[in-house]
Amino acid sequence: MSMTISAVRPRTSILDKSLSRGRGEVSLSCYALLFSELVQYCQNRVYTVPELQNKLAEMGQEVGVKLIDLFFVREKNCKREIKLLNMLLFVKSTMWKSLFGKEADKLEHANDDERTYYIIEKDPLVNRFISVPKDKGSLNCSIFTAGIIEAVLNGCGFPAKVTAHWHKGTTYMVKFDDSVITRDKQLEER
Amino acid sequence: MSRQGTRLDSKKVNSELFTLTYGALVSQLMKDYENVEDVNKQLERMGYNIGIRLIEDFLARTGCGRCYDFRDTAEKIQMAFRIYLGVSPTVANWSPAADEFSLQFETNPLTEFVELPDHCLNLKYANMLTGVIRGACEMVQMEVSAYFVQDQLKGDNVTEIRVKFIKRLEDAIPAGED
């Protein structure tokens, strides 16, 4: 039996360190400039606004999947949510507070479609220093945050599609799979 | 200085969001480029773009004047790291001619949660930082080179960036004026 031993093996792995409390901060200017580079990079590799949105969403998802364990271990004692509403509240409150320093402004349920929820944020952090050019009017870079939300929901067993729209600031439209709604109803009946 | 610091530091962002966003960017670059060297270069270039804009923010925020010498510059770079990333690198290992020094980091917010897989050992994960230093200095008429010499991700005890003064840019034309 052979074993590959890494050329460089750190003395301590990241799992040996205790989890930080997540209170670290960096300056907003820094984050804004980093995000700007990220958007420019994506923009240079695509031709259309929808393609750009997809790319930004994908990068957001990359962030989202990593947040799941981080937040549930740190904030929820390793217990995941199983009820839809609790999950949404987790996103709106716990996750939002950790990421953006405040809760999301609003969480609403669509009147005409039980699968659809809206998370509303008047002034999203990532958009603060972005002025969208006229020819790209529909572009909302908050699709990056939508990607984060989507990955968190999917990773927690609530498959959904999340999109970002210019409405009351930015509205994230969360559209769940039918299966999620069905399961949630069964849970309620028990 | 600290008084100014607290007043202007109200605009902060959670460092984990920053770390993970940077990570998403690096992993995207790793997917898009075949060659790790190209990723290093691209990260440096992005850092440069950030640096040439960040210096304005730094000057406005701190009211710093011109540097007397390179030691002064080193102190200001150190201060900038504290303001922007909340870390205080140690300035060390001056060359005898005082034109070269090291910034040593005990922690690096960019690399929290990061472990380099074996096939990425040539990746300079935080190479954006060297670009930021180069870009920022260039905007105040100083050509410097900055590069990693040690990296905790690769098993070193500290993370160390070497900064070398190259020359003063006398006839710099403002960006976009040529």
Side-chain angles (χ1 to χ4, degrees):
Chain A
M1 202 175 82
S2 76
M3 213 168 77
T4 316
I5 294 174
S6 166
V8 180
R9 185 51 65 201
R11 274 159 292 255
T12 52
S13 85
I14 44 176
L15 297 177
D16 296 324
K17 287 186 260 177
S18 57
L19 189 60
S20 86
R21 290 166 69 206
R23 303 273 159 79
E25 287 178 323
V26 300
S27 113
L28 175 60
S29 323
C30 246
Y31 189 74
L33 287 167
L34 173 69
F35 190 69
S36 151
E37 284 303 312
L38 184 147
V39 174
Q40 288 177 60
Y41 175 76
C42 292
Q43 194 177 356
N44 287 335
R45 300 181 76 88
V46 299
Y47 297 101
T48 64
V49 171
E51 280 178 312
L52 175 56
Q53 304 242 49
N54 283 343
K55 198 114 187 155
L56 288 172
E58 275 171 30
M59 294 184 90
Q61 286 163 12
E62 188 90 12
V63 175
V65 286
K66 300 193 167 75
L67 290 177
I68 301 173
D69 283 340
L70 182 60
F71 286 168
F72 278 101
V73 168
R74 187 160 56 206
E75 316 275 351
K76 292 276 171 185
N77 218 354
C78 298
K79 281 202 183 105
R80 297 277 186 99
E81 299 293 350
I82 54 169
K83 288 199 175 135
L84 180 59
L85 191 60
N86 291 349
M87 185 64 216
L88 282 164
L89 286 172
F90 172 81
V91 170
K92 181 201 181 238
S93 310
T94 314
M95 181 182 119
W96 224 266
K97 238 187 197 153
S98 303
L99 287 181
F100 308 118
K102 61 184 274 296
E103 289 192 13
D105 293 330
K106 266 183 193 155
L107 171 67
E108 290 178 359
H109 195 178
N111 292 324
D112 51 353
D113 180 11
E114 59 176 358
R115 294 188 306 153
T116 306
Y117 287 80
Y118 303 106
I119 298 172
I120 301 167
E121 181 78 341
K122 240 172 97 191
D123 179 24
L125 179 90
V126 297
N127 279 353
R128 199 158 299 157
F129 300 107
I130 293 180
S131 28
V132 180
K134 281 217 172 66
D135 62 323
K136 294 191 176 59
S138 63
L139 172 67
N140 189 331
C141 292
S142 285
I143 188 74
F144 178 80
T145 312
I148 296 181
I149 304 171
E150 189 174 303
V152 169
L153 291 174
N154 284 339
C156 289
F158 295 85
K161 183 80 201 139
V162 184
T163 46
H165 306 270
W166 291 111
H167 178 71
K168 298 183 184 167
T170 290
T171 297
Y172 302 97
M173 185 165 85
V174 185
K175 228 183 177 107
F176 288 102
D177 249 29
D178 284 325
S179 63
V180 175
I181 307 296
T182 317
R183 187 186 59 200
D184 206 56
K185 281 189 180 145
Q186 284 169 345
L187 269 178
E188 266 170 39
E189 282 162 14
R190 276 208 310 211
Chain B
M1 207 49 72
S2 62
R3 184 166 42 88
Q4 270 184 335
T6 41
R7 183 168 55 85
L8 287 151
D9 281 0
S10 60
K11 289 179 177 164
K12 289 284 191 188
V13 173
N14 176 283
S15 71
E16 286 171 350
L17 177 64
F18 178 75
T19 306
L20 292 173
T21 304
Y22 184 76
L25 183 59
V26 177
S27 71
Q28 186 65 45
L29 291 174
M30 290 300 286
K31 281 178 215 154
D32 292 344
Y33 291 90
E34 284 177 9
N35 190 335
V36 174
E37 275 310 312
D38 291 338
V39 176
N40 293 338
K41 264 187 217 148
Q42 180 67 32
L43 284 172
E44 205 270 351
R45 195 172 312 141
M46 288 173 158
Y48 174 83
N49 294 339
I50 291 176
I52 60 179
R53 296 173 72 184
L54 196 63
I55 184 76
E56 300 262 3
D57 190 275
F58 176 77
L59 294 176
R61 206 181 271 247
T62 59
C64 276
R66 289 201 162 271
C67 295
Y68 298 107
D69 54 19
F70 207 44
R71 285 185 189 274
D72 202 7
T73 308
E75 261 171 46
K76 284 182 179 152
I77 292 177
Q78 184 188 35
M79 188 206 298
F81 270 101
R82 201 172 60 233
I83 294 175
Y84 291 108
L85 293 184
V87 289
S88 289
T90 314
V91 176
N93 299 342
W94 278 97
S95 66
D99 63 344
E100 210 178 324
F101 63 89
S102 291
L103 294 164
Q104 292 177 336
F105 299 81
E106 294 284 329
T107 57
N108 177 358
L110 287 180
T111 57
E112 200 179 343
F113 311 130
V114 177
E115 274 184 349
L116 285 185
D118 287 350
H119 66 278
C120 301
L121 287 179
N122 291 325
L123 175 67
K124 294 171 184 158
Y125 185 88
N127 214 27
M128 190 176 267
L129 296 180
T130 62
V132 174
I133 295 173
R134 183 170 71 90
C137 287
E138 189 174 306
M139 284 297 116
V140 286
Q141 278 88 49
M142 253 187 302
E143 189 181 330
V144 303
S145 75
Y147 49 94
F148 276 93
V149 286
Q150 288 195 81
D151 192 340
Q152 280 162 326
L153 288 182
K154 295 174 185 169
D156 296 321
N157 273 328
V158 289
T159 296
E160 177 173 349
I161 297 178
R162 195 88 181 132
V163 183
K164 184 175 165 49
F165 177 81
I166 296 177
K167 64 172 189 231
R168 269 182 70 170
L169 300 166
E170 296 286 355
D171 301 310
I173 306 164
E177 297 275 301
D178 44 348

